[in-house]
């Protein structure tokens, strides 16, 4: 991951977690250079990403401030952040993957319905365990159409698939439908996640969409119960 992206991810997460609050001034660029051991240009590129997202604003002569977002804007930012994946959510930690399966298959019937594609199309079948600081936190199983997302390599599976989509293919992830449930871990899941048999796991089933309206992903993620949380913003009309 490029360093300016890592820095923007870290600043974004700190804002969403409330470490920087609405109308608070961010540290000056020279201080961020020291904090992240980076050049002024790298910090500028990181900050510009958050400005473009509408998360912070620059005030001439005063500095850069966290924008006072309304509930709808907060919901948009939280949703967009979830699409950045495990690598972006833990920018200050070591994120790695163990590939359980990476193949191209004819789309299974249940996945074809979720992806809204013909049953004779082919998809990537990806299964991997994601680790944070060498601790297993989630098992990911996903199907992605190969004609929509060409050229995925093993290195992308080991690192960040979403980063490949956005930075290499220049695709824009727009939205998703997600269903979350809780159940007991299977023996296989308990083994891969370092749990005891029968421990609870959170299961998130997701269908993801690009800004073109195309469905790009049908995935199921099995999370450790102690490493999973969901942020939801409720508004009243």
């Amino acid at each position: 991951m490029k360093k300016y992206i890592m820095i923007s991810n870290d600043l974004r997460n700190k804002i969403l977690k409330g470490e920087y609050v609405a109308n608070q001034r961010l540290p000056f660029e020279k201080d961020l250079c020291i904090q992240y051991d980076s050049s002024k240009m790298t910090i500028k590129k990181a900050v510009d990403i958050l400005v473009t997202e509408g998360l912070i604003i620059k005030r001439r002569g005063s500095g850069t401030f966290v924008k006072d977002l309304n509930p709808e804007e907060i919901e948009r930012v939280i949703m967009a952040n979830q699409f950045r994946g495990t690598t972006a959510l833990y920018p200050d930690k070591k994120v790695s993957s163990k590939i359980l399966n990476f193949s191209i298959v004819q789309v299974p019937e249940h996945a074809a319905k979720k992806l809204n594609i013909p049953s004779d199309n082919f998809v990537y079948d990806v299964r991997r365990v994601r680790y944070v600081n060498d601790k297993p936190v989630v098992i990911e199983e996903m199907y992605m159409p190969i004609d929509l997302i060409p050229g995925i390599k093993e290195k992308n599976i080991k690192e960040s698939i979403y980063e490949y989509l956005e930075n290499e293919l220049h695709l824009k992830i727009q939205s998703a439908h997600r269903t979350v449930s809780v159940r007991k871990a299977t023996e296989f899941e308990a083994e891969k996640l370092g749990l005891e048999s029968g421990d609870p796991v959170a299961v998130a089933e997701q269908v993801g969409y690009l800004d073109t309206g195309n469905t790009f992903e049908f995935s199921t993620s099995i999370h450790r119960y102690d490493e999973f949380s969901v942020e939801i913003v409720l508004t009243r009309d």
Side-chain angles (χ1 to χ4, degrees):
M1 178 182 290
K2 295 177 181 178
K3 193 162 186 178
Y4 72 90
I5 295 177
M6 182 274 289
I7 295 170
S8 70
N9 289 339
D10 191 47
L11 290 172
R12 183 188 304 106
N13 290 336
K14 287 179 177 178
I15 293 171
L16 293 178
K17 291 176 181 177
E19 295 182 36
Y20 296 123
V21 299
N23 298 314
Q24 180 179 351
R25 187 178 62 195
L26 293 182
F28 290 114
E29 282 190 358
K30 61 182 180 62
D31 297 318
L32 290 174
C33 289
I34 296 172
Q35 180 180 336
Y36 291 105
D37 189 24
S38 298
S39 68
K40 185 176 180 180
M41 181 58 68
T42 298
I43 295 300
K44 183 180 183 304
K45 291 174 72 174
V47 169
D48 284 347
I49 289 175
L50 302 184
V51 171
T52 301
E53 292 176 1
L55 195 55
I56 62 176
I57 57 176
K58 291 184 176 181
R59 297 175 184 167
R60 182 171 296 180
S62 298
T64 304
F65 294 78
V66 178
K67 188 177 178 182
D68 189 2
L69 302 175
N70 63 44
E72 289 78 13
E73 290 174 318
I74 293 172
E75 184 176 18
R76 172 186 59 79
V77 174
I78 289 174
M79 180 62 71
N81 202 44
Q82 292 178 13
F83 287 127
R84 294 184 172 88
T86 306
T87 302
L89 293 176
Y90 298 94
D92 57 340
K93 298 180 181 180
K94 173 188 173 185
V95 176
S96 57
S97 302
K98 179 179 180 181
I99 299 176
L100 304 179
N101 180 70
F102 176 37
S103 58
I104 295 176
V105 300
Q106 187 169 336
V107 60
E109 183 178 353
H110 73 288
K113 292 179 180 178
K114 295 288 187 179
L115 292 168
N116 195 30
I117 59 176
S119 58
D120 59 351
N121 281 24
F122 284 80
V123 294
Y124 300 103
D125 181 350
V126 176
R127 307 185 185 216
R128 61 183 181 172
V129 181
R130 300 284 270 167
Y131 296 80
V132 177
N133 285 348
D134 298 320
K135 176 184 178 181
V137 297
V138 59
I139 301 170
E140 297 177 342
E141 305 171 353
M142 64 189 74
Y143 297 102
M144 294 182 169
I146 63 171
D147 57 346
L148 189 63
I149 308 173
I152 292 182
K153 302 292 192 297
E154 185 174 302
K155 68 175 184 177
N156 306 124
I157 306 300
K158 288 184 176 179
E159 297 172 358
S160 171
I161 298 176
Y162 288 174
E163 187 176 329
Y164 171 72
L165 264 65
E166 296 195 314
N167 296 339
E168 300 295 330
L169 298 183
H170 304 293
L171 299 173
K172 184 178 180 181
I173 301 171
Q174 180 67 40
S175 61
H177 293 164
R178 177 180 294 177
T179 303
V180 180
S181 59
V182 179
R183 59 167 171 77
K184 292 182 178 180
T186 66
E187 290 187 8
F188 172 81
E189 292 163 353
E191 176 191 353
K192 296 301 181 185
L193 292 175
L195 299 172
E196 296 294 329
S197 182
D199 275 353
V201 289
V203 181
E205 184 177 285
Q206 177 169 296
V207 179
Y209 302 89
L210 300 176
D211 64 345
T212 58
N214 295 104
T215 310
F216 79 94
E217 172 196 54
F218 168 53
S219 66
T220 303
S221 303
I222 300 96
H223 301 257
R224 285 182 60 106
Y225 66 90
D226 56 352
E227 293 287 344
F228 180 76
S229 64
V230 178
E231 293 183 76
I232 300 174
V233 177
L234 300 177
T235 60
R236 184 177 180 179
D237 295 331

